[in-house]
Amino acid sequence: MRATIKDVSREAGVSIKTVSRVLNNERYVGAATREKVLAVVAALNFRPSIAARSLAGRRSWQIALVCDNPSPHYVYEMQTGIRDRCDVDGVRMIAQPYDRGSDRLMSEIEGLIDATHVDGLILTPPVSDHAQVLELLTERGVRFVRVSPGSAPALSSSVYIDNESAAAEMTRYLLSLGHKRIGFIAGHRDYATSRQRQAGYAAALGKAGVALDEALVLPGDYDFASGSAAADRLLALSDAPTAIFAASDDMAAGALASAHRRGLSLPNDLSVAGFGDDSLAGYVWPPLTTIRQPVRKLAWEAADLLLAPEDAPAEQRELAYELVVRGSTAAV
């Protein structure tokens, strides 16, 4: 039979109220008591009823992820990280996809709140910087945590990596290999991360005394097709780049495909680098040199901030990135 909160109370030797406080992640429970209760919860495989908990208090024990990203890897890792953290507290995650270009975005988010009464939302780029959405949530008193916001950092808790520094490090690495003409494929302009990564690329060139050639900077859309199309244009230049740095791994994979179609030898004729360390980074040929962005960890931390006590102060958590060198880059 399914374990009940009474079973947990009896086995842990504490009151039902204490078990409830531990499950609700409330304060004023000693560390030893909390640890004992959680051990019993795990041993009994106890899963509190969300419906019962909702009736017992103001919370719905549900949070929502609002996500629009062309990378399936990013979406999967984001959902997995949030679910992992939600499981700790017995909270349900709702995934709400949206179209950043849709004029129904506001009504869809408001409908989500009204239909589910979620306890809070996790917002990923670019909606994490959508002024109308942020105003709506603030006015309605709905808690939210943002992933990689580009503006108003004090508005809410957030998690992020230093995209500008990461892109600068990758650019410096390519410069250290002797590359001077480095093409850059930017992400969609609606994403703050796109602007941050492009700024890092430009700053690294400037510090190295390499003039920024605007012809080498082309827009992308964080997907394979846009990366391939941009690389086609870069490689058609009379003075083509010897390296291409794409602001996402999907776009970098597109650049690799473009180079293969032209019969280039990689990385001897062209170096290609990406950003993200998506699952495909190790499967393309040659394997992709990239910046490892810990998406699952970002998601876990975002959920952790959202599930913190309501009176917890806003907090900004910066996570580390890593330059991963593989076979797609080489010295000139």
Side-chain angles (χ1 to χ4, degrees):
M1 295 179 63
R2 179 174 175 173
T4 68
I5 193 170
K6 291 182 179 179
D7 298 324
V8 176
S9 170
R10 183 180 62 253
E11 292 295 322
V14 299
S15 68
I16 291 176
K17 181 62 176 177
T18 298
V19 175
S20 178
R21 283 175 174 164
V22 172
L23 294 174
N24 294 340
N25 197 28
E26 295 179 8
R27 298 179 180 180
Y28 315 118
V29 178
T33 300
R34 185 182 301 275
E35 184 177 341
K36 180 169 60 174
V37 170
L38 291 176
V40 172
V41 166
L44 296 180
N45 194 27
F46 173 68
R47 292 188 175 276
S49 165
I50 290 178
R53 294 164 84 189
S54 298
L55 290 172
R58 295 178 301 166
R59 297 182 63 181
S60 70
W61 301 97
Q62 301 179 109
I63 65 172
L65 164 66
V66 181
C67 187
D68 171 28
N69 192 289
S71 168
H73 172 87
Y74 182 92
V75 175
Y76 173 78
E77 290 291 294
M78 187 61 60
Q79 291 180 350
T80 301
I82 294 171
R83 278 201 310 269
D84 288 348
R85 177 60 185 87
C86 284
D87 283 347
V88 175
D89 284 6
V91 174
R92 176 179 292 137
M93 181 202 75
I94 300 171
Q96 175 69 36
Y98 75 95
D99 179 357
R100 63 178 177 266
S102 171
D103 56 6
R104 298 176 54 202
L105 173 61
M106 295 295 294
S107 62
E108 288 176 353
I109 291 181
E110 193 153 21
L112 168 69
I113 296 168
D114 291 337
T116 64
H117 303 288
V118 288
D119 297 325
L121 285 81
I122 294 174
L123 309 177
T124 63
V127 78
S128 51
D129 285 311
H130 195 293
Q132 289 178 292
V133 171
L134 301 180
E135 182 179 359
L136 168 68
L137 298 179
T138 301
E139 287 180 350
R140 295 198 54 170
V142 178
R143 297 183 72 188
F144 60 93
V145 170
R146 295 180 293 162
V147 178
S148 301
S151 61
L155 182 63
S156 70
S157 292
S158 65
V159 294
Y160 63 96
I161 66 167
D162 191 333
N163 282 279
E164 185 170 340
S165 292
E169 183 169 340
M170 177 62 79
T171 305
R172 287 195 299 271
Y173 170 69
L174 294 172
L175 289 166
S176 74
L177 297 177
H179 297 282
K180 300 297 183 184
R181 289 189 61 75
I182 302 172
F184 184 77
I185 305 176
H188 194 280
R189 63 181 180 276
D190 286 349
Y191 288 74
T193 53
S194 301
R195 300 187 293 273
Q196 293 162 355
R197 293 170 193 178
Q198 185 171 340
Y201 157 80
L205 291 180
K207 288 185 178 180
V210 177
L212 175 64
D213 185 347
E214 295 292 347
L216 294 180
V217 180
L218 293 179
D221 199 19
Y222 281 140
D223 61 8
F224 180 95
S226 64
S228 178
D232 282 343
R233 291 173 58 188
L234 289 170
L235 296 175
L237 294 172
S238 57
D239 189 7
T242 61
I244 293 177
F245 174 22
S248 79
D249 286 348
D250 287 285
M251 293 193 298
L256 287 174
S258 173
H260 285 309
R261 287 195 299 269
R262 290 174 173 271
L264 297 179
S265 173
L266 301 172
N268 298 322
D269 297 332
L270 177 71
S271 286
V272 176
F275 199 112
D277 200 26
D278 294 357
S279 55
L280 63 77
Y283 299 145
V284 294
W285 188 258
L288 195 60
T289 292
T290 188
I291 294 291
R292 178 171 293 155
Q293 176 181 222
V295 178
R296 189 176 299 194
K297 179 64 172 171
L298 285 167
W300 197 98
E301 295 290 346
D304 189 58
L305 288 168
L306 190 59
L307 295 172
E310 289 189 11
D311 59 351
E315 181 181 348
Q316 283 69 49
R317 295 182 184 175
E318 179 180 351
L319 303 187
Y321 62 83
E322 180 184 356
L323 172 63
V324 180
V325 177
R326 298 193 180 97
S328 65
T329 52
V332 178

